[in-house]
């Protein structure tokens, strides 16, 4: 199925057609990109724009309409001269209109006269997705609450003729309001850390893609909102913008991490009798992180099995809470560290690690602050941070000598699973 995209070119690569194409493609629909405006911008500012002539826009739309089954249209950045043309060429199609009036840096794309033209020509019959400032500009209402969002949505549908309205609350309270078929729906959100440039483009494109799939509008809005939250959470620093490819990249990294850890566990099992004495009483586990902060480990841990060792279960996502928290805390200081394995503590292993010139640090659980002890999950994070700060550089090995009811333990870190296995091999071959 095809989604027609009419939008502007963002030379900074963070929003506009690039984000639209990536979003629609990630959601397994075919994008049909039509250039309406060429902007001159970077992540910090919009410097200007070139409006594509209306007849050029018309011919782009007609070329793809004649060859593809267009299930939905996403309309983003455009200029005043193209509004009537786009309205004519998309009549009868399901339209998702993202009314881009001004940039976050203050550059105005549409004049007040253009906004009035948009309201007359293109808004009627469209599913409109304004943010709070855009909804204020379209309705003349001041929006300070969810109730205000509902009133503005009602004006856009009942007075201005929109098919439906989704007012996005990212500028206000993270709650989106949908008004459709006389009903109001609220979609609460969560505060997500990351870059937000391009969120409006990604939301409207995702909404068009989910509509093209046949989802009813409230379900499509919810799915689009969750997709945007992921795009912010896994945003990329290079473009200082959201990451519409996050689902594809996450799934690819999951596959690679699982395969990498499975191979490494297989190599550990080959160490058999040599590794057996070093398996912790609570069991040993092996964890590997992706760039998305997800951590794979062995379900049920690796245990002694006669004179050898055996993984209890398969490699799975989030199979070890303790090692996951230790690894993620280490990655806050050293993002290049991706793997960790725990062993039973022994002085021989620590001495051997120092002989191998591995960087060794430790923390003393007896000095753990009371507020950390009382917290449900704070010991591991406190311990890793303490050991990192104690050494002043990236540790390869961290150990602690235990506490009341807590087994002494060694953690061996590495930049990948293979490096951890090699370090384990070097440690235990000589320390027997």
């Amino acid at each position: 199925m095809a989604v027609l995209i009419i939008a502007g070119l963002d030379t900074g690569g963070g929003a506009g057609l690039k984000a639209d194409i990536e979003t629609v493609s990630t959601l397994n629909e075919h994008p049909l990109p039509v250039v309406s405006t060429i902007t001159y911008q970077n992540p910090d500012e919009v410097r200007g724009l070139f409006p594509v002539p209306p007849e050029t826009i018309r011919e782009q739309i007609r070329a793809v309409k004649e060859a593809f089954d267009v299930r939905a249209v996403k309309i983003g950045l455009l200029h005043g001269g193209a509004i009537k043309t786009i309205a004519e060429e998309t009549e009868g199609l399901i339209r998702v209109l993202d009314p881009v009036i001004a940039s976050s840096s203050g550059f105005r794309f549409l004049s007040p006269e253009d906004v009035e033209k948009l309201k007359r020509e293109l808004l009627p019959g469209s599913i409109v997705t304004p943010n709070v400032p855009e909804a204020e500009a379209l309705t003349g209402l001041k929006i300070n609450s969810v109730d205000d969002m509902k009133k503005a949505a009602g004006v856009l549908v009942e007075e201005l003729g929109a098919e439906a309205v989704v007012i996005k609350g990212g500028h206000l309270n993270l709650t989106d309001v949908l008004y459709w078929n006389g009903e109001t729906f609220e979609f609460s959100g969560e505060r997500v850390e990351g870059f937000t440039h391009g969120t409006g483009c990604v939301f409207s494109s995702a909404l068009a893609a989910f509509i093209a799939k046949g989802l009813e509008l409230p379900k499509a809005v919810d799915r689009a909102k969750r997709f945007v939250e992921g795009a912010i959470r896994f945003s990329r620093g290079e473009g200082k913008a959201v990451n519409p490819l996050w689902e594809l990249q996450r799934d690819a990294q999951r596959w690679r991490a699982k395969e990498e850890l499975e191979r490494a566990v297989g190599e550990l099992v080959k160490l058999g009798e040599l590794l057996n004495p070093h398996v912790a009483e609570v069991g040993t586990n092996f964890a590997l992180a992706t760039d998305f902060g997800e951590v794979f480990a062995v379900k049920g841990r690796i245990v002694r099995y006669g004179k050898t060792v055996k993984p209890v279960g398969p490699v799975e996502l989030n199979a070890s809470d303790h090692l996951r928290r230790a690894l993620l805390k280490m990655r806050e200081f050293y993002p290049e560290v991706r793997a960790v394995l725990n062993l039973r503590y022994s002085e021989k292993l620590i001495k051997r690690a120092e002989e191998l010139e591995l960087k060794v640090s430790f923390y003393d659980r007896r000095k753990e602050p009371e507020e950390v002890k009382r917290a449900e999950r704070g010991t591991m994070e406190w311990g890793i941070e303490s050991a990192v700060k104690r050494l002043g550089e990236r540790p390869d090995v961290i150990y602690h000598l235990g506490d009341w009811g807590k087994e002494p333990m060694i953690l061996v870190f590495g930049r990948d699973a293979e490096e951890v296995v090699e370090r384990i091999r070097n440690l235990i071959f000589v320390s027997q």
Side-chain angles (χ1 to χ4, degrees), residues 51-73:
V52 175
E55 284 307 307
T56 303
I57 296 173
R58 186 189 303 277
E59 292 306 316
Q60 290 180 82
I61 296 172
R62 288 184 175 180
V64 293
K65 277 172 56 180
E66 292 172 6
F68 295 92
D69 179 14
V70 177
R71 297 297 181 90
V73 183

Side-chain angles (χ1 to χ4, degrees), residues 267 271 418 420-430:
E267 292 300 310
L271 297 176
E418 183 179 357
V420 170
V421 171
E422 186 61 24
R423 287 176 172 174
I424 298 299
R425 187 180 289 116
N426 292 334
L427 286 170
I428 66 177
F429 263 110
V430 180

Side-chain angles (χ1 to χ4, degrees), residues 338-396:
R338 295 181 53 241
V340 63
L341 182 141
N342 70 300
L343 294 175
R344 184 178 189 175
Y345 173 81
S346 78
E347 291 185 10
K348 285 185 177 181
L349 287 180
I350 297 302
K351 182 179 179 181
R352 177 58 182 161
E354 292 171 343
E355 291 172 352
L356 290 169
E357 297 185 348
L358 296 176
K359 304 296 183 181
V360 178
S361 189
F362 70 95
Y363 62 95
D364 188 344
R365 295 193 64 156
R366 295 171 299 178
K367 296 182 179 180
E368 183 181 348
E370 283 300 320
E371 61 270 21
V372 175
K373 288 183 178 180
R374 288 194 297 269
E376 185 178 353
R377 295 181 176 181
T379 298
M380 187 62 75
E381 290 82 355
W382 169 83
I384 297 300
E385 183 171 354
S386 299
V388 168
K389 290 181 177 179
R390 180 187 301 275
L391 188 62
E393 58 182 316
R394 187 183 74 204
D396 301 312

